[in-house]
Amino acid sequence: MAKIKPSKGAPYARILGVGGYRPTRVVPNEVILETIDSSDEWIRSRSGIETRHWANDAETVAAMSIEASGKAIADAGISAEQIGGVIVSTVSHFKQTPAIATEIADKLGTNKAAAFDISAGCAGFGYGLTLAKGMIVEGSAEYVLVIGVERLSDLTDLEDRATAFLFGDGAGAVVVGPAQEPGIGPTVWGSEGDKSETIKQTVPWTDYRSGKVAKFPAITQEGQAVFRWAVFEMAKVAKEALDAAGITADDLDVFIPHQANERIIDSMVKTLKLPESVTVARDVRTTGNTSAASIPLAMERLLATGEAKSGDTALVIGFGAGLVYAATVVTLP
């Protein structure tokens, strides 16, 4: 019986560079209030959101991804030709096939990199990061580009009082590469499909195509149920990720949770008993909920503003539709 030659990858992996892209149009709460019965004060008090970015016709999923990826590649100090894998997490690329990752890989100038899309909602960045780490350690790629990108304005029902104010557009990207010491900790991830109805698309595309419904499908959610789940269950997952990495909250420099809602963020900070010295990402205030893009966008902003620095230890956790979640501890690029 023939023996298969073992893979030879790097001993560890880490994030080497990060980049982000936010659409040029900034949308304040006042615009949202044109179609729902609410107030600026209500939106801010319930979510912390003041503004969000909405993409124009030219700011496609591919275009935003390419902009963010170019910055991440430059930040990592490598060339596009060295990228061996491109992973794109998105729920708002409206072609079933081919994967948008293939177009992005080509336009960036990679050398026929493996390219594929994943659909893991707001946990998508964590899922992609975990896959990239595995590819590098396994040896199937030296550098992997992980992109979280959404045009959620295309899936927003502006008459839905529960969700109209939540969503924004944008792209965040990181380059993951080889390391001689751990830079991405063990991932704590999973799903709770019995709660899948709490965040969902209103109707299948086929219902819209067949004329069963006249309104274009949108994202809807049961706000209170999602809030309770995120606050109580995701704090436990975050603690598990700290334990898996062999550190405590006192060892953290930065906390980068999914930017869904500032009240959820505040509750998680309290439950985890994070020291005041820990920098907490609050990009949700001006970017809104960008699903898979929210963690890399928040990471990029913290580094750009100096609120976080290279080498900091950060806990990242994403959670959303599915319901799915993924948390890990990383060293910032």
Side-chain angles (χ1 to χ4, degrees):
M1 183 181 293
K3 292 185 178 180
I4 298 173
K5 184 178 178 179
S7 300
K8 291 184 178 180
Y12 304 106
R14 67 164 291 170
I15 299 173
L16 300 176
V18 60
Y21 180 82
R22 293 171 175 80
T24 55
R25 183 187 177 192
V26 178
V27 180
N29 288 338
E30 285 73 18
V31 172
I32 307 299
L33 297 175
E34 294 173 4
T35 52
I36 61 171
D37 180 17
S38 187
S39 68
D40 178 62
E41 189 279 331
W42 187 91
I43 293 174
R44 291 183 188 228
S45 65
R46 296 301 190 279
S47 68
I49 298 172
E50 303 167 8
T51 61
R52 73 284 292 148
H53 295 255
W54 284 354
N56 60 34
D57 290 345
E59 292 167 324
T60 63
V61 165
M64 292 190 293
S65 297
I66 290 166
E67 288 289 333
S69 299
K71 295 175 184 177
I73 292 168
D75 192 42
I78 66 170
S79 67
E81 290 87 350
Q82 293 174 273
I83 298 290
V86 177
I87 303 171
V88 177
S89 178
T90 186
V91 299
S92 47
H93 169 53
F94 291 149
K95 286 185 179 179
Q96 194 69 36
T97 193
I100 194 63
T102 58
E103 178 184 337
I104 294 166
D106 177 64
K107 290 186 176 178
L108 284 172
T110 68
N111 185 20
K112 299 181 180 179
F116 56 96
D117 298 350
I118 60 174
S119 177
C122 304
F125 176 75
Y127 275 52
L129 193 64
T130 303
L131 294 173
K133 172 187 173 182
M135 292 165 70
I136 290 159
V137 173
E138 186 270 340
S140 60
E142 185 175 12
Y143 300 99
V144 178
L145 183 65
V146 179
I147 304 166
V149 57
E150 300 293 1
R151 273 183 53 125
L152 293 181
S153 58
D154 293 333
L155 285 168
T156 298
D157 180 354
L158 293 178
E159 297 178 346
D160 181 356
R161 190 173 185 270
T163 61
F165 59 90
L166 287 175
F167 302 121
D169 303 337
V174 298
V175 171
V176 182
Q180 293 304 308
E181 58 184 40
I184 302 173
T187 300
V188 176
W189 58 353
S191 65
E192 298 185 31
D194 59 315
K195 300 178 181 66
S196 61
E197 291 295 301
T198 56
I199 307 174
K200 64 181 181 179
Q201 183 171 304
T202 49
V203 295
W205 299 114
T206 48
D207 283 4
Y208 180 73
R209 182 186 64 182
S210 66
K212 289 182 180 179
V213 295
K215 200 169 188 177
F216 194 75
I219 297 173
T220 188
Q221 70 174 29
E222 297 173 16
Q224 287 302 314
V226 173
F227 182 87
R228 288 192 297 270
W229 175 77
V231 167
F232 296 111
E233 298 303 322
M234 291 304 97
K236 297 176 187 176
V237 172
K239 179 62 167 59
E240 289 179 34
L242 291 175
D243 292 343
I247 67 172
T248 69
D250 291 336
D251 299 313
L252 279 180
D253 300 305
V254 184
F255 179 43
I256 311 177
H258 167 47
Q259 302 294 291
N261 180 307
E262 193 164 35
R263 290 172 63 207
I264 292 174
I265 295 171
D266 289 339
S267 295
M268 292 183 72
V269 168
K270 183 178 180 180
T271 303
L272 290 169
K273 299 179 180 178
L274 297 185
E276 290 186 8
S277 60
V278 175
T279 297
V280 179
R282 299 183 184 279
D283 196 43
V284 66
R285 293 173 179 171
T286 56
T287 306
N289 179 346
T290 55
S291 189
S294 79
I295 290 175
L297 278 173
M299 182 185 295
E300 185 251 2
R301 175 160 280 172
L302 288 176
L303 289 166
T305 59
E307 296 173 82
K309 62 183 186 299
S310 176
D312 278 353
T313 300
L315 169 63
V316 299
I317 178 170
F319 44 86
L323 293 171
V324 295
Y325 54 87
T328 187
V329 175
V330 303
T331 301
L332 294 183

